C-alpha cells in the first residue's frame, strides 16, 4: 500500500473513531447530557461533542496501533507455523482462551450479586460482532480470511479495551467499546480496497513512465 493510501486509512479511521465516540458518548452518558438538549444549550452541546469527538480520536489511534500490530503478528504467525490452517487453529485456541479469561476475570473481580449472565452476554456480543465482520471480510476476500478477522475483532478489541476494563465503569466500557469495534471493522473491511487502489495507481504510473520513455525515444529518433 502506498503512502497516500496509508495516510487516507489513518485519517478516515480517525473520523470513524471521532464520530462514533461522540455518538456513543451521548448515548451511554445520556443522563449527564440530557439537560443540554432539553434546555437547548447549544454551546454546551457543541463543547461536549468536541470533547467526546476528541476522546473518540484517541480510541481510534489505539485501534490503529492494534491493527498494525496484529498485521505484524499475523505475518510472524504464518512464518512460524508455515501453514495457514495451522496458524488459524492456533488463533481459534487463543481466541477461546481470551474469551474465557475475559468472562472469568471480570466476574471474579467485579461480581456484586448480579450473577454470571451479564459477563457472558457481553462476551457473546463481542463474539457476535466479530462473526459478522469476519463474514463480510470472507465475502470480500476468501475463506481463509475468516479466522484472522474474527481473531482480530475479538482478541485485539479486548486488548485495546483493557484500560477501561480494569475500572469496570459501565459508561466508559461502552463509550470505548463502540469506537474500537467500528474502527477495527472499518480497517479490516477497507484494507483490501486500499491495497487494490494502490496497485492500480502504481500500474498507471508505470504506464505513464513507459509512454514517456517511448515518446522521448521517438523524439530522439526524429532528431
Amino acid at each position: 500500500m502506498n503512502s497516500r493510501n496509508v495516510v487516507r486509512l489513518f485519517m478516515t479511521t480517525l473520523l470513524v473513531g471521532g464520530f462514533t465516540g461522540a455518538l456513543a458518548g451521548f448515548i451511554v452518558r445520556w443522563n449527564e447530557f440530557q439537560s443540554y438538549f432539553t434546555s437547548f444549550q447549544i454551546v454546551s452541546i457543541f463543547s461536549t461533542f468536541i470533547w467526546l469527538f476528541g476522546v473518540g480520536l484517541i480510541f481510534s489511534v489505539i485501534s490503529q496501533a492494534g491493527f498494525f500490530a496484529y498485521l505484524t503478528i499475523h505475518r510472524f504467525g504464518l512464518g512460524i507455523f508455515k501453514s495457514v490452517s495451522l496458524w488459524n487453529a492456533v488463533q481459534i485456541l487463543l481466541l477461546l482462551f481470551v474469551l474465557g479469561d475475559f468472562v472469568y476475570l471480570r466476574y471474579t473481580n467485579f461480581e456484586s450479586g448480579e450473577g454470571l449472565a451479564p459477563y457472558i452476554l457481553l462476551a457473546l456480543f463481542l463474539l457476535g460482532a466479530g462473526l459478522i465482520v469476519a463474514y463480510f471480510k470472507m465475502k470480500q476476500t476468501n475463506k481463509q480470511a475468516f479466522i484472522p478477522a474474527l481473531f482480530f475483532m475479538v482478541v485485539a478489541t479486548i486488548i485495546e479495551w483493557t484500560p477501561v476494563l480494569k475500572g469496570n465503569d459501565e459508561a466508559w466500557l461502552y463509550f470505548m467499546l463502540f469506537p474500537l469495534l467500528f474502527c477495527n471493522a472499518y480497517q479490516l473491511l477497507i484494507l483490501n480496497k486500499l491495497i487494490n487502489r494502490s496497485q492500480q495507481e502504481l500500474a498507471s504510473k508505470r504506464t505513464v513512465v513507459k509512454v514517456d520513455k517511448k515518446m522521448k525515444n521517438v523524439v530522439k529518433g526524429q532528431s
Side-chain angles (χ1 to χ4, degrees):
M1 190 162 58
N2 59 29
S3 58
R4 179 188 303 175
N5 286 311
V6 170
V7 173
R8 182 174 296 164
L9 176 62
F10 175 73
M11 297 303 296
T12 53
T13 307
L14 276 181
L15 292 176
V16 171
F19 282 109
T20 307
L23 180 60
F26 276 119
I27 292 174
V28 301
R29 302 177 64 181
W30 179 247
N31 291 335
E32 298 177 41
F33 306 134
Q34 182 179 8
S35 60
Y36 297 165
F37 291 88
T38 54
S39 56
F40 299 102
Q41 299 178 34
I42 302 301
V43 174
S44 296
I45 293 172
F46 181 73
S47 61
T48 302
F49 172 83
I50 295 299
W51 182 79
L52 294 173
F53 186 89
V55 178
L57 296 182
I58 296 172
F59 295 159
S60 172
V61 171
I62 294 172
S63 168
Q64 294 188 63
F67 182 61
F68 284 101
Y70 174 71
L71 291 179
T72 303
I73 292 170
H74 183 61
R75 299 311 305 176
F76 274 117
L78 290 173
I80 291 171
F81 292 99
K82 308 294 184 182
S83 167
V84 173
S85 58
L86 181 57
W87 172 229
N88 282 345
V90 171
Q91 289 184 94
I92 291 174
L93 291 175
L94 289 173
L95 185 151
L96 294 174
F97 176 78
V98 170
L99 270 181
D101 268 4
F102 175 72
V103 174
Y104 175 75
L105 292 176
R106 293 190 68 242
Y107 176 75
T108 55
N109 286 318
F110 304 117
E111 195 275 333
S112 57
E114 70 272 30
L116 190 60
Y119 302 94
I120 294 177
L121 288 176
L122 186 57
L124 289 177
F125 171 78
L126 189 59
L127 179 62
L131 287 169
I132 292 171
V133 174
Y135 171 79
F136 283 106
K137 182 66 177 180
M138 179 184 68
K139 299 293 287 185
Q140 272 188 352
T141 53
N142 53 60
K143 293 181 180 180
Q144 293 178 339
F146 183 85
I147 297 301
L150 178 62
F151 180 88
F152 173 71
M153 286 299 299
V154 176
V155 176
T157 299
I158 290 175
I159 294 172
E160 295 161 359
W161 203 13
T162 301
V164 298
L165 287 176
K166 293 179 179 179
N168 201 42
D169 184 312
E170 186 173 346
W172 274 95
L173 280 176
Y174 294 106
F175 179 30
M176 189 175 188
L177 172 62
F178 287 103
L180 289 179
L181 283 177
F182 275 84
C183 288
N184 287 343
Y186 173 77
Q187 290 175 100
L188 274 177
L189 298 178
I190 201 68
L191 181 63
N192 281 87
K193 293 181 180 179
L194 293 179
I195 290 174
N196 292 335
R197 181 180 296 176
S198 296
Q199 292 173 344
Q200 291 171 0
E201 291 173 355
L202 180 60
S204 64
K205 286 181 180 179
R206 287 175 177 172
T207 302
V208 170
V209 170
K210 288 181 181 179
V211 171
D212 286 343
K213 287 183 178 179
K214 288 182 178 178
M215 292 299 293
K216 289 178 180 179
N217 291 333
V218 171
V219 172
K220 287 180 180 178
Q222 291 177 347
S223 60

